[in-house]
């Protein structure tokens, strides 16, 4: 057996070498699952051939980077820069917003898998807790969907557009919960992905966004027909209880909320990703994260 020796706060620990853990850690470099397992297998065989029974985490990481370099220098650069992000003392907090149906929950799940993150929270769940605390009488808008919240605004719309007014009132309440999650994650050092329609650029406190490794993305689906299809695919799953009708009846207002999200993302210089191909979406998010927090690449450029 090969032992991997690590160090936490000056205390060393050892654990058995795991091909599964190694393979998963390679996924961040956009290496497919099969190739990642083949590489992990090769690296293990190489260690056995060299008669190594103990290896430090740093030495193992160097061995992996050297191996990846022989396959594709892009892989090794990405791998090493991701390690810089992982070694940061600050947790990674990724916020993924987007209008209903564009794929925030699906992409959060895929990204967590790619990065090996264990915590995902949906803003719909934060809202659900709030609905138990705040009565419909006190705050009717959060008891609606983000896109039809305008139907419950008590005071007449002050802004020109009632749909956006309703959306803002709805998001504003849930945002309090999002900020609490970010505060707690920073305080406890927990890396997390927060996803949902309530993640809107310009709403979350700047001082929180500037702390630690916080990164926000806005997902969109530019093509109307494709966006519509997403609701069909979601409702096709037998366990999904959301009614297709609710989203189809409100499709034009959902698109309006997407336009508002795009405007906000542009004003606040947040990355916008057109979520067409899921691999490309995840690759773009990973690249943006590594570019922002992974330091300079070896050749001095910021792009990967
Ligand atoms: N890049 C993609 N390619 C193909 N299908 C996708 C992609 N992203 C999401 N989908 C599919 O679109 C549907 C809607 O996605 P999802 O439920 O993740 O949206 P959402 O933004 O979380 O919606 P809501 O905010 O209303 O909960 C799902 O069936 C999902 O599998
Ligand atoms: O408010 C919304 O836009 C959606 C987001 O998922 O929630 P629900 O469909 O549960 O109303």
């Amino acid at each position: 057996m090969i032992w991997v020796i690590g160090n936490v706060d000056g205390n060393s620990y050892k654990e058995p070498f795991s091909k599964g853990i190694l393979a998963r850690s390679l996924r961040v470099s956009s290496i497919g699952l099969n190739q990642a397992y083949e590489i992990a297998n090769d690296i293990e065989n190489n260690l056995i051939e060299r008669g190594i029974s103990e290896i430090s985490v740093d030495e193992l990481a160097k061995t992996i980077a050297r191996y990846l370099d022989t396959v594709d220098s892009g892989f090794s650069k990405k791998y090493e820069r991701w390690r810089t992000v992982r070694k940061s003392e600050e947790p990674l907090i990724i916020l993924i917003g987007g209008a209903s149906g564009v794929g925030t929950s699906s992409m959060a799940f895929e990204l967590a898998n790619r990065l090996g993150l264990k915590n995902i929270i949906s803003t719909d769940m934060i809202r659900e807790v709030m609905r138990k605390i705040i009565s419909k009488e006190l705050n009717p808008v959060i008891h609606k969907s983000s896109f039809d919240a305008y139907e419950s605004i008590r005071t007449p719309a002050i802004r020109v557009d009632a749909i956006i007014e309703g959306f803002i009132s709805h998001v504003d309440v849930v945002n309090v919960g999002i900020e609490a999650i970010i505060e707690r994650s920073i305080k406890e050092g927990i890396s997390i992905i927060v996803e949902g329609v309530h993640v809107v650029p310009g709403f979350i406190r700047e001082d929180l966004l500037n702390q630690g490794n916080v990164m926000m993305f806005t997902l969109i689906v530019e093509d109307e027909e494709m966006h519509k299809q997403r609701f069909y695919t979601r409702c096709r799953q037998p366990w999904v209880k959301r009614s297709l009708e609710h989203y189809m009846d409100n499709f034009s207002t959902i698109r309006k909320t997407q336009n508002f999200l795009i405007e906000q993302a542009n004003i606040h210089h947040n990355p916008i990703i057109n979520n067409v191909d899921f691999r490309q979406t995840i690759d773009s998010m990973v690249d943006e994260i590594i570019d922002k927090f992974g330091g300079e690449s070896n050749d001095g450029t910021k792009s990967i």
Side-chain angles (χ1 to χ4, degrees), residues 37-244:
Y37 273 93
E38 277 167 22
I39 293 174
N41 211 21
D42 276 358
I43 290 173
E44 185 185 45
N45 288 339
N46 180 272
L47 295 176
I48 294 168
E49 276 165 23
R50 286 160 57 202
I52 289 173
S53 58
E54 277 193 3
I55 186 164
S56 70
V57 175
D58 280 345
E59 198 43 53
L60 179 59
K62 280 183 197 148
T63 307
I64 295 166
R66 276 197 299 271
Y67 186 102
L68 291 180
D69 213 26
T70 64
V71 184
D72 182 332
S73 65
F75 288 168
S76 61
K77 276 188 201 135
K78 224 170 184 176
Y79 176 79
E80 286 184 310
R81 292 180 75 196
W82 171 241
R83 270 184 60 77
T84 309
V85 181
R86 291 295 302 249
K87 280 183 173 173
S88 159
E89 300 205 337
E90 301 296 339
L92 184 60
I93 297 169
I94 303 167
L95 311 168
I96 307 176
S100 186
V102 300
T104 60
S105 46
S106 312
M107 293 307 110
F109 176 76
E110 298 291 343
L111 185 66
N113 255 324
R114 177 78 77 87
L115 299 181
L117 300 181
K118 294 180 181 68
N119 302 294
I120 305 178
I121 185 153
S122 105
T123 60
D124 285 354
M125 290 304 178
I126 298 174
R127 178 182 62 185
E128 215 51 41
V129 175
M130 289 180 150
R131 283 175 175 166
K132 285 280 180 210
I133 302 166
I134 308 169
S135 72
K136 216 177 205 169
E137 287 71 27
L138 188 62
N139 193 309
V141 286
I142 64 155
H143 290 266
K144 299 282 283 180
S145 293
S146 65
F147 47 83
D148 63 5
Y150 71 95
E151 291 171 355
S152 292
I153 330 180
R154 259 196 306 258
T155 47
I158 299 160
R159 288 181 182 78
V160 187
D161 194 323
I163 291 166
I164 301 307
E165 177 94 40
F167 181 78
I168 290 172
S169 315
H170 178 97
V171 167
D172 209 36
V173 180
V174 182
N175 194 49
V176 176
I178 298 177
E179 289 181 342
I181 303 271
I182 300 174
E183 278 170 13
R184 172 86 187 190
S185 303
I186 291 172
K187 190 165 153 233
E188 300 274 308
I190 298 167
S191 291
I192 193 166
I193 301 181
V194 184
E195 65 79 19
V197 68
H198 310 95
V199 171
V200 183
F203 281 60
I204 298 165
R205 277 179 11 230
E206 277 292 322
D207 65 297
L208 285 181
L209 295 178
N210 294 332
Q211 271 187 61
N213 296 338
V214 184
M215 178 102 212
M216 193 190 310
F217 296 99
T218 301
L219 298 191
I220 61 166
V221 175
E222 230 160 34
D223 185 80
E224 254 190 66
E225 219 23 64
M226 185 181 289
H227 191 175
K228 230 180 226 174
Q229 291 303 319
R230 295 283 165 86
F231 292 106
Y232 284 92
T233 51
R234 182 168 71 186
C235 291
R236 212 179 45 208
Q237 292 151 347
W239 57 86
V240 172
K241 303 285 186 290
R242 289 163 133 182
S243 96
L244 180 61

